[in-house]
């Protein structure tokens, strides 16, 4: 195989998205692309769900499992806050549907090839470009530029590191139990952990079918039995679903950290996805940032410009995330009350822009007034004096729903 212009390691959300945008019709410079996917087995993630918000008419709308025009947050006492995030809709995309959509474009791209192999390392080569290595040190492929989307083996040193960990059930009830026009982003009628917060998350597909998740932001995941008990309590005691069947499950662990993820690992090696910092530290959302990064990279390469690897989030959103994580982890703010107040007091579209890192400074300041000001200011003053420490290695699953 001739050396391709671009090699992409991993066929999750980040790898497939970059291949999808690189192989779009047109472009001033034709590019050859090789996607290296893990063979079936433990290195290939199971089917999973990605959620994000954008106006109707997005590139992946034809593949969506569902979308919702209204969002709801329930306080610990059950009081609902229902918002209309117009012009945005909250969208749910299943990984198998996205893979099929991307596969249709990639199968028609003449300079695209996909190979299955276990990748153990990626490195620059002395003569330029980079190479992808297999389990025995053999060179699988050499390319001009390599984009590595494999999850990080270790998280970077950080002042605060929490994990967003969850298990979800796709349920089918015997009677109508859901409102298919409304997604429940956070339902705080769940027992709260000692550090962090927990909530229920409900995405209805129709009146009798939904994805129901139990999620925690806390230092460590639960055992399998802990999630089962939490979901059993939430579905039966809180939602009161009655009789239902569990048709599928999903689970994941997402890092929430103010550590710095380098976007490059050499002159010709770049990190994308969670490994490149695309996961928003304060929420765990990843998919929208992956799309922005993928489009920006593809636009530069297809135009023949020198690549400048874009940052998924600016310095100001990252600073706000660091404050929020520390305030939550230290217990200075109570998580359920913090998020309930935000959704109750801030227009939904403005809050979604804030959570996506695309809001303006004046919007951020207005939102800041809706938070506990004194505890947040105390956290701002404390952060510069905190030492960044190596966290224990996490188990990460590529997913963008909290």
């Amino acid at each position: 195989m001739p050396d391709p212009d671009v090699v992409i390691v991993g066929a999750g959300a980040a790898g497939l998205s970059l291949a999808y945008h690189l192989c779009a019709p047109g472009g001033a410079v034709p590019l050859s692309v090789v996607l290296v996917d893990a063979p079936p087995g433990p290195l290939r993630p199971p089917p999973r769900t990605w959620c994000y918000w954008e106006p109707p008419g997005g590139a992946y709308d034809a593949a969506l499992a569902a979308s919702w025009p209204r969002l709801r947050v329930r306080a610990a006492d059950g009081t609902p806050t229902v918002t209309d995030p117009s012009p945005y809709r909250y969208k749910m995309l299943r990984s198998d549907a996205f893979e099929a959509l991307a596969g249709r474009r990639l199968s028609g791209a003449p300079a695209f090839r996909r190979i299955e192999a276990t990748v153990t390392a990626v490195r620059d080569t002395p003569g330029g470009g980079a190479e992808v290595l297999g389990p025995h040190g053999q060179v699988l492929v050499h390319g001009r530029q390599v984009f590595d989307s494999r999850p990080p083996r270790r998280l970077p040193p950080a002042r605060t590191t929490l994990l967003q960990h969850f298990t979800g059930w796709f349920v089918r009830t015997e009677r109508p139990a859901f409102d298919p026009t409304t997604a429940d982003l956070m339902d705080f009628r769940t027992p709260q952990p000692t550090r962090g917060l927990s909530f229920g998350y409900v995405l209805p597909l129709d009146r009798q079918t939904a994805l129901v998740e139990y999620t925690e932001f806390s230092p460590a995941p639960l055992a399998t039995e802990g999630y089962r008990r939490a979901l059993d309590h939430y579905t039966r005691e809180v939602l009161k679903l009655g009789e239902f069947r569990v048709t599928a499950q999903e689970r994941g662990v997402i890092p929430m950290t103010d550590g710095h993820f380098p976007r490059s690992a050499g002159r010709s090696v770049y990190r994308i996805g969670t490994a490149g910092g695309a996961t928003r530290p304060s929420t765990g959302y990843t998919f929208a940032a992956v799309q922005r990064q993928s489009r920006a990279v593809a636009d530069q390469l297809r135009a023949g410009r020198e690549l400048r690897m874009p940052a998924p989030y600016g310095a100001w959103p990252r600073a706000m995330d660091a404050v929020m994580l520390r305030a939550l982890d230290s217990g200075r703010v109570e998580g359920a009350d913090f998020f309930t107040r935000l959704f109750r007091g801030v227009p939904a579209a403005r809050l979604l822009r804030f959570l996506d890192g695309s809001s303006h400074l004046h919007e951020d300041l207005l939102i800041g007034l809706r938070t506990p000001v004194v505890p947040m200011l105390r956290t701002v003053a404390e952060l510069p004096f905190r030492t960044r420490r190596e966290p224990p290695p996490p188990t990460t699953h590529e997913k963008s729903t909290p």
Side-chain angles (χ1 to χ4, degrees):
M1 181 186 300
D3 288 350
D5 296 305
V6 175
V7 178
I8 302 168
V9 178
L16 269 181
S17 297
L18 181 55
Y20 180 87
H21 292 297
L22 286 170
C23 294
V29 177
L31 298 171
S32 54
V33 179
V34 169
L35 177 63
V36 184
D37 191 8
L43 294 179
R44 183 179 290 188
R48 55 234 185 263
T49 299
W50 299 311
C51 288
Y52 57 102
W53 48 86
E54 66 176 5
Y60 309 132
D61 275 15
L64 294 176
S67 69
W68 299 270
R70 299 194 306 170
L71 303 176
R72 179 166 52 209
V73 170
R74 289 189 184 272
D77 63 1
T79 303
T81 299
V82 181
T83 60
D84 175 1
S86 181
Y88 305 112
R89 288 178 73 98
Y90 194 67
K91 300 182 177 184
M92 174 184 182
L93 180 63
R94 292 287 288 160
S95 61
D96 51 358
F98 178 63
E99 289 164 8
L101 182 147
R104 288 192 288 272
R105 171 177 288 183
L106 299 176
S107 64
F112 172 80
R113 294 180 182 174
R114 184 170 182 160
I115 62 176
E116 286 188 358
T118 299
V119 174
T120 58
V122 178
R123 66 187 183 192
D124 285 326
T125 54
E131 59 190 12
V132 178
L133 304 181
H136 306 292
Q138 75 274 29
V139 177
L140 300 173
V141 62
H142 181 279
R144 186 163 60 89
Q145 291 171 317
V146 176
F147 295 86
D148 189 355
S149 70
R150 293 174 299 159
R153 293 186 177 182
R154 293 191 65 86
L155 296 179
R159 293 165 295 193
T160 308
T161 299
L162 293 175
L163 298 177
Q164 179 183 154
H165 49 98
F166 54 87
T167 292
W169 291 345
F170 283 88
V171 301
R172 176 73 180 175
T173 60
E174 288 192 355
R175 60 175 178 78
F178 306 108
D179 175 2
T181 68
T182 305
D184 284 282
L185 286 190
M186 290 180 163
D187 183 346
F188 293 108
R189 294 177 294 173
T190 53
Q192 296 300 307
T194 304
R195 289 174 59 190
L197 74 155
S198 73
F199 54 88
Y201 179 59
V202 183
L203 300 182
L205 303 180
D206 57 45
R207 292 189 61 80
Q208 292 178 254
T209 310
L211 170 61
V212 181
E213 288 188 357
Y214 173 80
T215 299
E216 279 193 15
F217 297 178
S218 60
L222 305 178
T224 300
E225 178 62 18
Y227 296 111
R228 189 202 63 77
R229 287 197 303 267
L231 273 169
D232 193 65
H233 172 265
Y234 183 61
T235 54
R236 300 185 188 281
E237 303 300 326
V238 178
L239 297 180
K240 301 185 184 302
L241 297 183
E243 295 298 317
F244 64 87
R245 293 183 293 110
V246 177
T247 60
Q249 299 187 40
E250 66 176 34
R251 63 191 60 184
V253 181
I254 298 173
M256 304 178 70
T257 171
D258 66 353
H260 175 65
F261 289 85
R263 298 190 299 278
S264 64
R267 298 184 310 276
S268 303
V269 178
Y270 303 93
R271 293 192 174 103
I272 57 176
T274 295
T279 297
R280 185 74 196 265
S282 59
T283 64
Y285 284 95
T286 307
F287 192 79
V290 161
Q291 300 312 307
R292 290 195 300 269
Q293 189 179 60
S294 298
R295 283 192 295 266
V297 169
D299 288 347
Q300 293 177 68
L301 297 182
R302 284 159 53 85
R305 301 197 301 270
E306 182 179 354
L307 177 63
R308 299 187 64 180
M309 195 64 185
Y313 304 100
W316 175 246
R318 293 199 306 272
M320 291 189 294
D321 286 343
V323 174
M324 179 271 189
L325 285 176
R326 176 58 189 159
L328 184 63
D329 188 42
S330 66
R332 291 198 186 104
V333 300
E334 197 272 319
D337 179 67
F338 177 85
F339 283 105
T340 299
R341 288 172 60 175
L342 282 182
F343 277 91
R344 186 176 293 161
V346 179
R350 179 186 298 170
L351 184 56
L352 291 184
R353 286 194 298 272
F354 171 77
L355 296 176
D356 201 32
S358 59
S359 55
H360 299 291
L361 178 60
H362 73 278
E363 293 178 310
D364 297 341
L365 295 176
L366 290 173
I367 291 171
L369 295 176
R370 298 290 182 177
T371 66
V373 176
V374 173
M376 299 300 273
L377 289 176
R378 180 181 172 190
T379 305
V380 169
E382 174 197 57
L383 274 178
F385 302 98
R386 288 190 59 82
T387 302
R388 293 183 181 270
R389 302 182 185 279
E390 292 273 356
T395 300
T396 57
H397 291 256
E398 196 173 30
K399 184 171 180 291
S400 301
T401 59

